[in-house]
Amino acid sequence: MHFAHEFWAFVSDNWDELFQGFQNTLKVSAVAIVGAFVIGLVLGAARAHRVPVVSQFTAVYVEVIRNTPILVQIFLIFYGLPELGITFDRFTAAWLSVMVWGGAFNSENFRAGFLAVSHRHREAANALGFRPLGTFLNVTLPLGARIALPSSINTYISVIKNTSLMYVIAYPELTTTAINISNLTLQTTEALALLAIVYLSLVWSLSWGIRRLERHLALSETA
Amino acid sequence: MPDWGEPVARYILEEGLPNTLRVAVVAVIGSTLIGVLLGTLLTIPFRPLRALVRLYVEVFRGLPILVTVFATFFLLPTISPQLEFSPLSAGTIALTLWGSAQVAETTRGAVQSIGYEQRDAAAALGFKWVGSHVYVILPQALRRLLPPLVSLLVNIIQNTTLVGVIGGLDLLEAGKRQNERLAAFPPVGVGESHAFEILIAIAALFFCLSFPLARLAAYLEKRLVA
């Protein structure tokens, strides 16, 4: 029980700072997830429908993001771009870098989702007189987004985990806050235990949500 | 290449790159060995052991890798002084913990996909549990495992950059240190920062390492399905 006592002392002594850090983690994650959702939807649709130019651009964007470390991307946005005269504050750099990263993975999720909608559905829409945009909005989008939802939530989970990397640009989200406090007070074990508890409860509850959602959303005929 | 570029490139390629590759290769081999073992254990009927392995897998898949890196570097030495590792070793251990959890989950699926008749056939030939897994089931499961293992290598190569956070000299850290030197006043540096160029070069290097491997993984995946 000795450790539990120390742990509570760590949490209660630094409650305000830690809670602020937790809120910052959620803030960065929320902005990045909304952005990654929009990017994924638009670029995924462009890829699935082979929209000229946008489709090729997306292919390059996805490969570049997937094949370079996210840490390099964060450094480029926060330390590289200012040399070209583009400067961001820490918060903007934080959500921007995970949003760009998540958007790339999400456009693949949505592309796969839209491509999984069977062409019979689209033909049926054509037969009912829908134009291409109408077919997309009324048929492909609702069915494809539903198929893409579990994998896109997986991407959002990774986005949340990756906000911990903002330690390298000293943005005070949860990891930065907890590690910085522990550097002063030497309560490393307590700080890491707190990080593990918070991140695991976030990640585990979301994965549990996905599993429930997958069962709930399973489409009987498009499989 | 500009005057300042040559020593920077040499430092990155001669100091950083070998470390990055070493960490990645050791972590991938470690992840594969531990992961295949744990993944096989996830398929046995004995519940308590399965629950223990499941906990390991869920913890290391769930934690941000940076937290695992901090834990291996700062936490292990507090348990025993023998567990004090250099930044590169601590990073390798952290990546192995994460990677083995990934491999375990994939292995479980691959082992379970091998039909029951294979187990029965192995049993009929007189193989016990270990023998039937080593000689019959795992060789077949390995075919399915190969594409995800190549993808894992790509992910691990990229995540080696995390060792820089605890002071390990990888590709990215080498570039960062060189830029800090350049930014210093002469005669140490040239008094100007070249972060953008250096980071683009590092990104290009990682791309050249990852892209062919990612293609290979996609190719193996396709061939497997066909």
Side-chain angles (χ1 to χ4, degrees), chain B residues 61-72:
Chain B
R61 264 169 34 124
L63 285 177
I65 308 179
L66 184 63
V67 174
T68 314
V69 168
F70 281 140
T72 50

Side-chain angles (χ1 to χ4, degrees), chain B residues 69-224:
Chain B
V69 168
F70 281 140
T72 50
F73 190 62
F74 294 121
L75 219 53
L76 289 183
T78 64
I79 299 169
S80 149
Q82 282 169 322
L83 293 175
E84 192 168 332
F85 298 104
S86 73
L88 286 180
S89 311
T92 312
I93 295 171
L95 288 174
T96 306
L97 290 171
W98 172 79
S100 59
Q102 304 283 343
V103 176
E105 189 58 31
T106 338
T107 304
R108 183 191 57 81
V111 167
Q112 282 175 345
S113 74
I114 305 300
Y116 264 95
E117 66 277 8
Q118 297 289 331
R119 284 158 204 274
D120 294 343
L125 289 171
F127 283 118
K128 297 260 191 281
W129 190 85
V130 173
S132 72
H133 275 85
V134 171
Y135 294 109
V136 180
I137 293 169
L138 284 179
Q140 299 183 65
L142 212 61
R143 245 175 62 92
R144 275 161 211 269
L145 266 180
L146 204 55
L149 281 180
V150 178
S151 302
L152 179 80
L153 178 61
V154 175
N155 278 327
I156 282 190
I157 288 176
Q158 295 183 7
N159 285 325
T160 52
T161 50
L162 289 173
V163 305
V165 178
I166 50 172
L169 184 61
D170 76 305
L171 252 176
L172 180 57
E173 182 67 15
K176 247 183 79 189
R177 286 188 196 175
Q178 280 301 307
N179 189 53
E180 276 158 20
R181 181 184 63 79
L182 284 181
F185 288 110
V188 176
V190 291
E192 52 188 277
S193 169
H194 290 284
F196 186 75
E197 293 102 313
I198 294 176
L199 286 167
I200 288 286
I202 290 174
L205 252 170
F206 272 108
F207 189 87
C208 296
L209 285 173
S210 300
F211 187 69
L213 287 169
R215 293 280 95 183
L216 176 69
Y219 167 76
L220 289 172
E221 181 96 45
K222 203 182 264 173
R223 233 184 53 153
L224 193 71

Side-chain angles (χ1 to χ4, degrees), chain A residues 66-67 83 161 164-165 204, chain B residues 61-62 66 158 193 195-196:
Chain A
R66 282 210 300 198
N67 288 299
E83 290 183 4
K161 288 199 281 182
S164 66
L165 298 173
W204 286 353
Chain B
R61 264 169 34 124
L66 184 63
Q158 295 183 7
S193 169
F196 186 75

Side-chain angles (χ1 to χ4, degrees), chain A residues 35-74:
Chain A
F37 172 74
V38 175
I39 294 176
L41 196 68
V42 173
L43 297 186
R47 275 276 266 170
H49 293 86
R50 298 168 188 262
V51 177
V53 186
V54 187
S55 178
Q56 284 81 358
F57 163 79
T58 307
V60 173
Y61 162 60
V62 168
E63 291 303 334
V64 167
I65 295 297
R66 282 210 300 198
N67 288 299
T68 55
I70 182 169
L71 218 50
V72 174
Q73 296 160 21
I74 296 169

Side-chain angles (χ1 to χ4, degrees), chain A:
Chain A
M1 283 301 97
H2 182 64
F3 178 73
H5 182 76
E6 300 270 293
F7 179 73
W8 278 120
F10 172 78
V11 174
S12 56
D13 287 352
N14 306 291
W15 175 256
D16 290 340
E17 251 181 291
L18 289 170
F19 189 64
Q20 182 62 44
F22 180 62
Q23 283 179 317
N24 286 341
T25 290
L26 293 185
K27 224 162 61 182
V28 170
S29 304
V31 177
I33 287 172
V34 171
F37 172 74
V38 175
I39 294 176
L41 196 68
V42 173
L43 297 186
R47 275 276 266 170
H49 293 86
R50 298 168 188 262
V51 177
V53 186
V54 187
S55 178
Q56 284 81 358
F57 163 79
T58 307
V60 173
Y61 162 60
V62 168
E63 291 303 334
V64 167
I65 295 297
R66 282 210 300 198
N67 288 299
T68 55
I70 182 169
L71 218 50
V72 174
Q73 296 160 21
I74 296 169
F75 278 138
L76 257 174
I77 287 178
F78 193 68
Y79 297 111
L81 288 185
E83 290 183 4
L84 304 183
I86 308 165
T87 313
F88 300 110
D89 60 68
R90 289 175 208 283
F91 173 65
T92 313
W95 64 256
L96 189 65
S97 49
V98 273
M99 184 186 82
V100 169
W101 182 88
F105 281 82
N106 221 15
S107 54
E108 281 297 281
N109 297 333
F110 276 102
R111 178 177 81 120
F114 293 140
L115 287 178
V117 176
S118 87
H119 64 98
R120 290 199 313 257
H121 282 102
R122 269 174 281 144
E123 279 165 10
N126 283 341
L128 288 171
F130 280 118
R131 292 177 173 280
L133 187 64
T135 308
F136 176 74
L137 291 177
N138 292 295
V139 179
T140 316
L141 181 62
L143 289 173
R146 195 166 164 173
I147 300 168
L149 197 60
S151 60
S152 74
I153 296 179
N154 258 323
T155 299
Y156 305 143
I157 293 178
S158 300
V159 164
I160 295 175
K161 288 199 281 182
N162 279 336
T163 58
S164 66
L165 298 173
M166 298 316 150
Y167 178 79
V168 300
I169 59 169
Y171 175 73
E173 43 68 68
L174 185 65
T175 305
T176 314
T177 310
I179 296 292
N180 284 350
I181 295 172
S182 79
N183 283 343
L184 292 176
T185 63
L186 301 178
Q187 289 166 301
T188 320
T189 316
E190 290 80 359
L192 287 167
L194 176 73
L195 291 177
I197 291 171
V198 174
Y199 284 115
L200 287 180
S201 13
L202 274 176
V203 170
W204 286 353
S205 49
L206 282 169
S207 328
W208 178 79
I210 296 184
R211 280 199 296 276
R212 290 211 48 179
L213 207 64
E214 262 176 339
R215 249 177 288 146
H216 180 71
L217 289 183
L219 295 169
S220 49
E221 37 175 346
T222 44

